[in-house]
Amino acid sequence: TLEPLYIITPTYRRPEQIPELTRMSHTLMLVKNVHWLVIEDATVTTKQVTRLLERTGLKFEHLTAPMPEKYKQKKGAKPRGVSNRNRGLQWIRANATNGVFYFADDDNTYDIALFDEIRKTKRVSMFPVGLCTKFGLSSPIIKNGKFVGFYDGWIAGRKFPVDMAGFAVSVKFLLQRPNATMPFKAGYEEDGFLKSLVPFEPKDIEFLADNCTRVLAWHTQTKKNEPSAPLNMKLYGETNLV
Ligand code: UDP
Ligand code: MN
């Protein structure tokens, strides 16, 4: 039998939220034995999100985990989605026993073939992410079948210079590491989390997607939209205005 795939998705209220989650849910509806953990950066769940989740027929949890005030008030880069992902880890520790989890932001694009790849994860797997950084790609580099380093437009002293969408972790592997956590450190969330999975070294990485030669996830970003005028609300019925 197929072990569960836990998809941890941070999300927050904005005009793009429902369209992003609609697109993502339609991808996940094509994947078997998915359990979607949708975690809002908010103190209460958004009704429109709950309805969307119910309509998918997917197995899901709808949780909240607001970004702490001290980070919200900080100017410059904020640790986006970190409280949400740590809430997801907490849920996995309390409820999951096997399978694999994956941090999947609501605005990325995922090929359904990615999920078949991720299921192979025994410890921590890695794979390419397209449209990522100024290089347009973030990926482990495999030469003649051997891992030789990371390709990423922003190495920044990271031990694991990878994108959030570029790795998956076995639930059992996480459960054996009770101190694993994602730091509230903008730009260093992935590296900090992967480093917290001790013992775990680059030699332990499992490379997926045909030895990292196929791009199955893209770091797409939707342009910010103005909230629609109140007049349009009648036309579109329910809206998701902030
Ligand atoms: N996010 C969040 N709170 C915020 C900003 C973002 O929960 O204040 C979520 C967002 O929905 C996404 C993830 O955190 O799933 C990463 O955010 P974003 O896509 O804006 O980051 P980027 O792609 O620019 O790195
Ligand atoms: Mn994004």
Side-chain angles (χ1 to χ4, degrees):
T1 59
L2 218 50
E3 293 194 359
L5 210 49
Y6 296 98
I7 307 297
I8 300 177
T9 298
T11 186
Y12 69 112
R13 266 196 112 171
R14 62 205 191 281
E16 300 80 22
Q17 183 180 39
I18 293 297
E20 303 284 28
L21 290 173
T22 298
R23 190 159 52 104
M24 186 168 180
S25 70
H26 290 188
T27 301
L28 295 182
M29 284 159 73
L30 298 168
V31 184
K32 288 199 174 65
N33 207 1
V34 160
H35 196 142
W36 198 12
L37 312 185
V38 176
I39 305 145
E40 290 199 65
D41 178 353
T43 50
V44 292
T45 53
T46 303
K47 195 170 65 219
Q48 288 85 346
V49 174
T50 310
R51 280 211 205 93
L52 184 154
L53 291 172
E54 285 167 353
R55 282 176 56 213
T56 63
L58 288 166
K59 196 183 242 190
F60 71 86
E61 308 297 324
H62 189 185
L63 308 170
T64 59
M67 184 187 295
E69 269 313 313
K70 60 173 171 178
Y71 301 114
K72 233 188 263 183
Q73 255 133 52
K74 245 180 55 179
K75 45 189 182 309
K78 292 176 183 55
R80 287 178 287 205
V82 172
S83 52
N84 327 37
R85 295 189 199 96
N86 280 324
R87 180 68 187 86
L89 293 176
Q90 183 191 342
W91 187 94
I92 292 208
R93 287 194 168 101
N95 298 284
T97 55
N98 64 349
V100 173
F101 72 87
Y102 178 55
F103 294 122
D105 288 352
D106 60 359
D107 57 337
N108 292 337
T109 304
Y110 307 95
D111 185 315
I112 55 171
L114 175 70
F115 302 97
D116 296 326
E117 288 295 307
I118 285 174
R119 283 189 196 283
K120 301 173 186 168
T121 309
K122 298 284 175 240
R123 303 177 299 272
V124 178
S125 61
M126 293 191 183
F127 33 86
V129 179
L131 302 179
C132 203
T133 79
K134 61 182 180 197
F135 288 2
L137 177 75
S138 173
S139 179
I141 307 164
I142 315 288
K143 262 196 180 140
N144 302 320
K146 254 194 66 159
F147 170 68
V148 296
F150 293 98
Y151 182 83
D152 190 286
W154 193 70
I155 298 290
R158 294 184 293 169
K159 179 175 184 177
F160 299 104
V162 299
D163 186 69
M164 198 62 74
F167 66 93
V169 182
S170 134
V171 166
K172 284 198 157 76
F173 189 86
L174 177 82
L175 297 180
Q176 289 160 358
R177 287 159 179 78
N179 296 322
T181 185
M182 187 169 289
F184 285 89
K185 199 175 165 197
Y188 294 86
E189 294 94 338
E190 299 89 346
D191 190 45
F193 173 70
L194 291 164
K195 286 202 290 207
S196 79
L197 291 174
V198 282
F200 170 63
E201 294 298 326
K203 67 168 169 49
D204 304 317
I205 304 169
E206 301 151 73
F207 301 102
L208 299 180
D210 293 343
N211 255 343
C212 298
T213 59
R214 297 171 70 198
V215 176
L216 299 173
W218 293 266
H219 190 262
T220 43
Q221 291 180 301
T222 304
K223 80 168 173 63
K224 290 266 167 272
N225 293 268
E226 295 296 333
S228 25
L231 257 180
N232 290 338
M233 291 174 71
K234 270 214 183 74
L235 287 172
Y236 293 107
E238 277 196 296
T239 68
N240 185 43
L241 298 181
V242 179

